[in-house]
Amino acid sequence: MARARAAKVHLVATLKGVADRDAAERLNGIELYISRDALPETDDGEYYHADLIGLAAIDAQGASIGTVTAIHNFGAGDIIEIAPKSGPSLLLPFTNAVVPTVDLAAGHVIVELPNEIEGDSPDSTDSAS
């Protein structure tokens, strides 16, 4: 790659050997890969998505919640997707409050599930008459 820059929702790249717009358009949609050793080291608290996918998701007591299947960002911050052994996937904010520990060496993330997810329902004093 000769040069790259971020645009709103995509990457604009200039590739060696691609001299004009027609040649570039023929490459549209092609998936590009980079060798892991060509990536820079991450800072504390930063992770490559590929390193998180497949990690076990456990609670603070070590009980299994599921497996990390994806990291999403729809514009309001990162979301961690966890597939439990049964039931629908959990989509949780990927914040220090919800995911206080990422331990790549141990192969897991510790997740503090919000009460609503754990099955606790808010107290309700309203009753239908």
Side-chain angles (χ1 to χ4, degrees):
M1 182 171 353
R3 204 174 51 199
R5 67 176 171 81
K8 284 187 178 183
V9 295
H10 59 277
L11 181 69
V12 177
T14 303
L15 303 175
K16 293 177 186 173
V18 180
D20 60 44
R21 186 176 194 91
D22 291 333
E25 285 181 3
R26 287 192 295 274
L27 298 174
N28 193 24
I30 289 179
E31 293 186 30
L32 302 175
Y33 299 90
I34 187 168
S35 174
R36 176 59 188 246
D37 59 352
L39 296 173
E41 291 295 319
T42 57
D43 290 331
D44 286 340
E46 292 183 341
Y47 310 96
Y48 287 114
H49 292 194
D51 293 340
L52 300 171
I53 295 169
L55 293 180
I58 60 174
D59 66 17
Q61 290 72 42
S64 177
I65 296 171
T67 304
V68 177
T69 57
I71 305 295
H72 305 283
N73 189 313
F74 302 111
D78 288 331
I79 295 174
I80 189 167
E81 182 173 352
I82 299 171
K85 291 185 184 194
S86 64
S89 289
L90 303 172
L91 296 173
L92 303 168
F94 190 28
T95 62
N96 289 334
V98 177
V99 185
T101 303
V102 174
D103 192 334
L104 297 176
H108 68 253
V109 295
I110 295 177
V111 177
E112 296 287 338
L113 291 173
N115 288 338
E116 295 81 20
I117 303 262
E118 290 177 349
D120 295 341
S121 60
D123 292 337
S124 175
T125 57
D126 295 338
S127 60
S129 316

